[in-house]
Amino acid sequence: MRPRPIRCDIFCTVIDNFGDVGVCWRLAQQLATEFAWQVRLLIDDASALEWLATPSQHAAVRISDFHGAEYENAEVVIEAFACEIPPAFQAAMAARKVPLVWLNLEYLSAENWVATSHGLASKHPHLPLTKYFFFPGFDAASGGLIRERDYDTRRLDFDATAFRQRHGLPVARQKETVISLFSYPNAPRDALYAAWAASATPILAVLPGNTDAPWQRDNLRVLPLPFLSQHEYDELLWLCDLNFVRGEDSFVRAQWAERAMVWQIYPQENDTHLVKLKSFLTRYLPVGAGDTLYALFMQAWNTQGTPDWPAFASQLPQLNTHAKHWADALRQHPDLATNLVDFCLTRLKID
Ligand code: TRH
């Protein structure tokens, strides 16, 4: 008799922006299509899925409202980003006769403490339940990064010309640098636009998720695009010579894209995000390169400074080579969904 598929509930609340839903949707898709798990996404605001998901993806994952959903005996329950599963649901989990695995999927961080926190167990204060902390990360001591099995195939099949036509990108000018720009409103974009306009070679900036009209100033053309599906957003990252990304998920996708990238980290109180930014740069850059033009540019981008575009642009070829080596090194570790499945099956005592 074939074993019954693992049932998995993923709880997600959308705090702001799209990272929470973006990560949960990717994970849900992977567990369903690559591991044949029966996945339900319990979410308080599914509106972003209208543009983020492709129509065919909807068949793979069931979507329920976060509040009031009944426990259906799932073997694995994932609470994304400490979103607090409703108490009645927790009580129903505790009443299950056979043990289940309850995970809290945490935010991505490059900080060293992740290695000692990943996989830690925490007993529920009064119910017979244990919750495990599952940390994404950049090395083997963490839960890894989301990366789909078909990522390389999709990339090989990517047709840049068709993408340009589909999204109305203008005919490329000679020596044009194509840049995607996805940032928070407080990024010093005007300073960058001024530098791009004054650039010696032409620049096309593509702004996904932006409803402004296209505009042009000197050597800069700016093309806003509607939000793309996650699949098409990957394609945009592959198309571009440089990608500005933010938060968590687009940041990871830009790394898989093997292109130079500039990251705007999600801002936190007391500037704790700047510590996290530094931890990432320490990992990402070769030893002793903490004060390179690249690090300075990224710091300026994250602190409303004035990013030195000409200096940065002169490093672009080396940065692209580095991005490839970085992705090669990351690929040596299993991806997050594979790690998560192993973790759960071990605890469920299933081979
Ligand atoms: O939207 P974000 O700023 O999300 C943030 C962060 O995740 C942050 O850590 C979290 O605390 C906060 O949300 C609540 O950036 P992020 O993480 O890149 O998420 C954007 C998602 O949208 C990602 O899945 C990529 C996707 N996307 C598209 O699919 N198409 C697009 O056109 C664009 C611009 C993004």
Side-chain angles (χ1 to χ4, degrees), residues 146-179:
I146 291 187
R147 180 186 162 98
E148 301 79 17
R149 274 183 210 159
D150 66 356
Y151 183 86
D152 287 331
T153 323
R154 283 206 300 119
R155 186 171 189 165
L156 276 174
D157 291 346
F158 171 54
D159 180 344
T161 311
F163 182 94
R164 290 187 82 111
Q165 278 169 1
R166 206 163 51 246
H167 294 288
L169 267 67
V171 177
R173 293 168 290 178
Q174 265 218 331
K175 294 196 176 164
E176 185 168 64
T177 306
V178 185
I179 302 173

Side-chain angles (χ1 to χ4, degrees), residues 16-20 22 51 107 184 208 228 230 246 248-250:
D16 59 2
N17 304 319
F18 312 111
D20 300 307
W51 51 266
Y107 285 115
Y184 295 115
L228 307 172
Q230 284 187 324
R246 73 182 203 192
E248 175 162 332
D249 192 52
S250 56

